[in-house]
Amino acid sequence: EVQLVQSGAEVKKPGESLKISCKGSGYNFNLYWIAWVRQMPGKGLEWMGIIYPGDSDTRYSPSFQGQVTISADKSVSTAYLQWSSLKSSDTAMYYCAASVVITRFDYWGQGSLVTVSS
Amino acid sequence: QSALTQPASVSGSPGQSITISCTGTSSDVGGYNFVSWYQQHPGKAPKLIIYDVTKWPSGVSNRFSGSKSGNTASLTISGLQAEDEADYYCTSYTSNNTFGVFGGGTKLTVL
């Protein structure tokens, strides 16, 4: 059974750095795309970017290019979403999702809530 | 990059059918047969209910169906049930970022 387990809720101050994780199990981690999706409070879903762990092919939505870094560590079957300097506008729920193709995402993590407040 | 356009809300009574539209451009919805629909209940992760415009993932009810005409895709839910009350999002592959763009989401209320 494919499972994605995300890291827990985080409370950070503006300007701090953060790296959240998404651990895959039940499938060959190298062969599935992982996507990151943002959902701001009371708002809709936004694709942030995707990564193919097998060859580290990484693509970002224009709105998120340069704002976050997506990476993956095949040795621990885990994908990451990273910020170097958080803003209050980064407060949101972040979901990871996995699929063999980029045109649909069948499997979703439970979400990681990030709160950025001074 | 503009999101796909969905109505903010739709409603229907139990047993009825409703349709949610999703309008894009020739760079996304109109150019590819890669439209997916997700259902999201409050406080839960999204769930894939339709992919490649018309296909069902395993375990999804066939009360959900998808279609496309030109730059507009549609999700139809027949035989509405109380449990269908949720937010629905369309998404399409787009040549703009070489993976995807979401619609703004539609809140379905079952009266």
Side-chain angles (χ1 to χ4, degrees):
Chain A
E1 177 194 6
V2 174
Q3 283 198 315
L4 299 173
V5 177
Q6 297 186 231
S7 49
E10 301 273 3
V11 180
K12 292 289 193 178
K13 292 183 174 8
E16 292 185 331
S17 62
L18 176 63
K19 192 174 191 176
I20 62 175
S21 65
C22 169
K23 183 173 176 60
S25 63
Y27 70 99
N28 188 330
F29 184 76
N30 291 350
L31 302 183
Y32 279 56
W33 289 91
I34 294 280
W36 285 98
V37 175
R38 182 175 78 175
Q39 188 166 38
M40 298 175 76
K43 302 298 184 183
L45 304 174
E46 301 171 89
W47 295 113
M48 301 177 71
I50 58 174
I51 187 166
Y52 189 72
D55 62 6
S56 297
D57 181 5
T58 308
R59 308 174 192 182
Y60 295 92
S61 287
S63 302
F64 294 95
Q65 180 80 48
Q67 307 304 307
V68 297
T69 301
I70 293 171
S71 61
D73 185 340
K74 292 184 286 188
S75 68
V76 291
S77 300
T78 301
Y80 301 97
L81 177 64
Q82 183 174 3
W83 295 261
S84 59
S85 181
L86 287 160
K87 310 179 189 68
S88 57
S89 57
D90 292 318
T91 293
M93 181 70 80
Y94 293 89
Y95 292 100
C96 65
S99 178
V100 293
V101 294
I102 64 171
T103 52
R104 71 175 189 268
F105 280 85
D106 312 75
Y107 307 101
W108 290 70
Q110 83 278 17
S112 296
L113 180 63
V114 174
T115 303
V116 184
S117 174
S118 54
Chain B
Q1 164 183 352
S2 300
L4 307 178
T5 300
Q6 299 181 231
S9 62
V10 297
S11 62
S13 299
Q16 288 186 331
S17 295
I18 63 94
T19 295
I20 299 171
S21 62
C22 170
T23 301
T25 69
S26 58
S27 295
D28 38 66
V29 174
Y32 307 92
N33 288 323
F34 293 134
V35 175
S36 299
W37 291 88
Y38 294 86
Q39 176 192 62
Q40 187 181 34
H41 287 107
K44 300 294 187 183
K47 174 187 175 184
L48 180 68
I49 56 173
I50 293 285
Y51 69 96
D52 294 353
V53 180
T54 61
K55 298 177 182 175
W56 294 280
S58 174
V60 171
S61 170
N62 60 9
R63 295 188 300 106
F64 298 94
S65 61
S67 62
K68 190 185 87 166
S69 178
N71 293 338
T72 298
S74 298
L75 171 71
T76 298
I77 308 174
S78 58
L80 269 180
Q81 299 179 1
E83 68 208 46
D84 298 332
E85 187 162 291
D87 293 323
Y88 291 85
Y89 295 90
C90 64
T91 183
S92 173
Y93 175 85
T94 173
S95 58
N96 292 331
N97 67 5
T98 68
F99 60 97
V101 59
F102 274 112
T106 299
K107 182 175 181 58
L108 168 63
T109 300
V110 179
L111 301 170

